[in-house]
Amino acid sequence: MVEGEQLADLVIKHGSIRLLATAGLTCWLGYGIWLAVYRLYLSPIAHFPGPRLAALTGWYEAYFDLVEKGGGQFPFEIRRMHEKYGPIVRINPDELHVDDPEYYDVLYSTNKAYDKLKRFQHRFSIPEATFSTVKAEEHKTRRSALAPFFSKAKVRSQAASVQALMDRISEKLEREYTGKQRPVNIQDVWSALSADAIMDIVFANSMNLYDYPDFRSPFTTAVNSVAVYCHITLHFGFLLSIINNLPDWLAMRVFPPFIPVIQFRWEMERQIADVLANRKQGIKESGRKTVFSEMVASELPQHELHPQRLLQEAQSLIGAGFETTAWSLTIGTFHILDNPLVLAQLKAELEEAMPDPQCILPLGDLEKLPYLTAVSKEILRIAFGGVERLPRIDRTGIMTYGQWTIPPGTPVSMDQYHMHTNEGIFPEPSIFRPERWLGDPKGPDGVKPLTNYLTTFGRGTRMCLGLNLAHAEIFIGLATLFRRHDLELFETTRRDVDFHTEYLKAAPWPGSKGVRVVVK
Ligand code: HEM
């Protein structure tokens, strides 16, 4: 009897489970069908041109981000969409992309405060950093606390420290590499310069990274590898949530590729803890104000000064501050060495301006050298900076593009890759030609300066905060390196610098050993 009841119970139970499973599946299918109909026919951007599959599902973008040729291919796919569908395309279920250089200043306007894309906010685990802040109003408060530290005047006042760092790098090149046929990866050299420069401004604490053998420090290696995960953490954000909720030792065991990311966070935690401890004990830091010593002493609301938010701001500043600059300098070094006429002209200008190689001109004077200036602009054009699109959202208002009306809340994006390779603006864009910047050149309308189309640092209310620092490093770095040293490329070709994969910045083919040089 008891057995009979148990059997009946089981039948009911299994029946209910089956019923529940069927109901769940039906709901899921129903939701899927509704979503497909909505995205293809009812969405306020359903009438915009673009591939139907991209409009239907975010997995289209994920495929190009993660699978095609090993991933990082979406910018190239966006280009193919524009070639087929015109200057405005729907690149995924929610977002539009524009390829029209004249629209850049409209989208990245200085008098319109647009939101950023929420989907991009969490992928580096720094959602509260100024860089990742979604809402325009909140972004404004955070940015204004940082901006004074990166003004032109402020950077000029610190240019001597950048020169001092570069001098130490130059001494090491002379001592350990000159005449020895010993190749060095120039990206490691530039990473040491730019990481130490930003650490100095942010924490008044250079880490003397150039001192590591072959300039390769665990710190710069760790930060360099963070960007490689940007697509995985975008499409599988739950991985980050898991890692963030595990104890570090376990996260490092379970997800070994994330070890550098965790180590980078540790270093930033240590730096922030120092700033906070100094403040508590009333210790004055080395007589110099730094970004964080000033921030904790500022009028920012208390929740903005929470150690976790400061940590995120630090990770963002250091991450944003060094890799892009180091990569631009790396690509620049390659192209200068790969073009003997450019190299000769640059060296001639530097020699004339600085007869004594030990006396490098102050930054303000370097910026007046026409060929060095042209070279640095061409580097910023061909290296792109970032190549990922930069979406902007007008939460309440309507944007327009030509005859198109863009509904409120729609993310619209453009990017440096499309801007800097536009044949109408920059003929033969794949050729490194500093001469295109000489003599105050104009854009296609003959009125706007050509520099108007150089968008390496973005534009508008979210434009790069560190551009003055980046400029300083590029001018001081190139002037010192090429005035004092004779370099030669070592087993390096264009394949090692040309844009093959997008990891926010443009990365070369996966087998590249980097840009290597020997010092003659
Ligand atoms: C060649 C080097 C650099 C390039 C190409 C570059 C590029 C950019 C771009 C395109 C943006 C805008 C991102 C967006 O609109 O979403 C940006 C933002 C930012 N960059 Fe840079 N950057 C460089 C160097 C630096 C340096 C040296 C720092 C130093 C602190 C820095 C700090 C920042 C910060 C804090 C933001 C966020 C600004 C905001 O959201 O208001 N960058 N950068």
Side-chain angles (χ1 to χ4, degrees), residues 108 116 130-132 139 143 146 150 198 316-317 320-322 324-325 328 380 384-386 390 392 416 455-458 461-467 469-470 473-474:
Y108 304 99
K116 272 193 169 182
T130 304
F131 177 84
S132 320
H139 168 262
R143 183 175 167 109
L146 293 177
F150 298 99
I198 184 71
S316 156
L317 283 175
F322 103 76
T324 34
T325 317
S328 303
L380 291 172
F384 304 118
L390 303 172
R392 293 292 179 270
Q416 273 72 270
T455 57
T456 318
F457 296 105
T461 51
R462 309 250 189 173
M463 187 178 187
C464 177
L465 262 177
L467 75 137
L469 177 61
E473 289 171 36
I474 291 172

Side-chain angles (χ1 to χ4, degrees), residues 94-154:
D94 310 308
E95 188 180 337
L96 302 172
H97 187 276
V98 175
D99 179 18
D100 178 350
E102 300 305 334
Y103 195 62
Y104 203 86
D105 279 334
V106 180
L107 185 59
Y108 304 99
S109 151
T110 34
N111 51 27
K112 287 262 185 178
Y114 291 144
D115 288 351
K116 272 193 169 182
L117 193 61
K118 195 154 180 45
R119 202 158 72 85
F120 281 3
Q121 188 183 14
H122 287 270
R123 61 195 166 146
F124 297 117
S125 289
I126 49 166
E128 303 303 321
T130 304
F131 177 84
S132 320
T133 305
V134 170
K135 288 266 159 54
E137 301 78 5
E138 204 172 5
H139 168 262
K140 194 173 169 192
T141 315
R142 289 177 175 168
R143 183 175 167 109
S144 46
L146 293 177
F149 278 91
F150 298 99
S151 69
K152 197 161 185 153
K154 187 80 185 175

Side-chain angles (χ1 to χ4, degrees), residues 119-194:
R119 202 158 72 85
F120 281 3
Q121 188 183 14
H122 287 270
R123 61 195 166 146
F124 297 117
S125 289
I126 49 166
E128 303 303 321
T130 304
F131 177 84
S132 320
T133 305
V134 170
K135 288 266 159 54
E137 301 78 5
E138 204 172 5
H139 168 262
K140 194 173 169 192
T141 315
R142 289 177 175 168
R143 183 175 167 109
S144 46
L146 293 177
F149 278 91
F150 298 99
S151 69
K152 197 161 185 153
K154 187 80 185 175
V155 169
R156 281 269 163 89
S157 73
Q158 306 211 333
S161 314
V162 178
Q163 182 65 62
L165 281 170
M166 193 56 211
D167 287 341
R168 274 173 251 149
I169 287 175
S170 166
E171 281 157 27
K172 176 163 170 165
L173 284 175
E174 185 64 34
R175 204 173 48 243
E176 296 182 17
Y177 294 87
T178 301
K180 298 199 166 93
Q181 282 298 310
R182 177 180 171 194
V184 60
N185 185 325
I186 202 76
Q187 190 178 356
D188 291 329
V189 176
W190 294 129
S191 294
L193 173 73
S194 56

Side-chain angles (χ1 to χ4, degrees), residues 2 37 54 101 143 155 257 273 292 297 317 370 385 394 401-402 413 435 474 490 497 501:
V2 175
V37 171
R143 183 175 167 109
V155 169
F292 283 97
L317 283 175
D394 191 336
Y401 172 69
S413 54
E435 286 68 22
I474 291 172
F490 177 83
V497 291
T501 310

